[in-house]
Amino acid sequence: SYDLTQPPSVSVSPGQTASITCSGDKLGDKYTYWYQQKPGQSPVLVIYEDNKRPSGIPERFSGSNSGNTATLTISGTQVMDEADYYCQAWDSSTGVFGTGTKVTVL
Amino acid sequence: QVQLQESGPGLVKPSETLSLTCTVSGGSINSYYWSWIRQPPGKGLEWIGYIHYSGTTKYNPSLKSRVTISVDTSKNQFSLKLSSVTAADTAVYYCARVGGYNSHFDYWGQGTLVSVSS
């Protein structure tokens, strides 16, 4: 099976940059998607096709994908960005989610 | 604005079959792929499978032997059946729209908690 690995947690100070990695075999050959999930809420798409932002997602969210690693970057992190983040990709038409990263803003 | 709403029993007994329905409003179920995703309490997301409005399905290999996803285009609904459930199947179950073939999940339901217990 195909696995996507993320760091369990990332801490960042308000206004600083948070980077969340997602690692998988030849992940750069696939599109990576990123979701934000706040407690008690459904996930929300923040990045699609590696680096595209859906309408309504702030410009401080950006993404990249190369080699075996995709990265979600939050520039000028705000307290409201504190949440769990999941990467996602498709492998042979099977959906795969990353292990998830809890972003703490303090 | 497309909206999805899960419905079904919140409690299922071990060894029985979990059944959920997702009703799509604000748009047609025709076109697009439609998916089920679950999240055990305090844990991460797990993709269960998807169905195309034409009836084509794809399932997570780890659940394939127990999962059936079906679609009723006349009711704008799609459904999930998971057989022989155990406590490990206790989770919040989400339905979601796939924005295209092998694409992102762009619309999600609010999720419904299903507990497996006698």
Side-chain angles (χ1 to χ4, degrees):
Chain A
S1 64
Y2 191 79
D3 297 320
L4 294 174
T5 302
Q6 300 178 232
S9 63
V10 167
S11 295
V12 60
S13 299
Q16 299 305 301
T17 297
S19 294
I20 306 164
T21 58
C22 174
S23 299
D25 186 48
K26 298 180 181 179
L27 183 57
D29 292 344
K30 310 174 190 298
Y31 279 136
T32 298
Y33 308 91
W34 290 92
Y35 302 86
Q36 175 194 71
Q37 186 181 34
K38 296 182 178 180
Q41 298 183 18
S42 303
V44 172
L45 179 73
V46 294
I47 292 290
Y48 68 100
E49 293 179 1
D50 295 338
N51 53 24
K52 298 180 174 66
R53 277 181 294 104
S55 174
I57 300 302
E59 291 184 9
R60 63 180 180 272
F61 288 89
S62 63
S64 63
N65 187 13
S66 180
N68 294 322
T69 304
T71 303
L72 173 69
T73 302
I74 311 173
S75 305
T77 306
Q78 299 186 9
V79 174
M80 68 173 65
D81 300 328
E82 187 164 285
D84 293 327
Y85 291 83
Y86 295 91
C87 59
Q88 180 253 317
W90 295 91
D91 179 64
S92 301
S93 297
T94 296
V96 181
F97 284 98
T99 50
T101 298
K102 181 176 182 58
V103 171
T104 302
V105 183
L106 42 68
Chain B
Q1 177 80 343
V2 175
Q3 293 184 315
L4 293 84
Q5 179 67 59
E6 305 89 351
S7 60
L11 181 63
V12 181
K13 290 181 168 54
S15 80
E16 295 189 346
T17 296
L18 179 159
S19 296
L20 295 174
T21 296
C22 182
T23 300
V24 179
S25 59
S28 174
I29 203 166
N30 293 325
S31 299
Y32 298 106
Y33 290 77
W34 304 88
S35 200
W36 287 97
I37 296 155
R38 70 179 183 179
Q39 185 172 36
K43 296 188 178 181
L45 300 168
E46 179 180 32
W47 179 76
I48 298 171
Y50 68 57
I51 189 165
H52 188 248
Y53 76 98
S54 63
T56 301
T57 56
K58 182 77 173 182
Y59 301 134
N60 187 324
S62 68
L63 299 169
K64 185 176 181 179
S65 63
R66 299 194 291 132
V67 172
T68 302
I69 299 176
S70 58
V71 65
D72 186 337
T73 55
S74 66
K75 294 182 179 180
N76 236 33
Q77 295 177 333
F78 63 105
S79 299
L80 168 70
K81 290 189 184 300
L82 181 65
S83 64
S84 305
V85 299
T86 69
D89 294 310
T90 293
V92 174
Y93 285 77
Y94 296 99
C95 59
R97 190 182 84 168
V98 191
Y101 178 69
N102 281 4
S103 188
H104 50 279
F105 302 104
D106 54 1
Y107 291 97
W108 295 67
Q110 66 184 27
T112 186
L113 175 62
V114 179
S115 298
V116 178
S117 175
S118 55

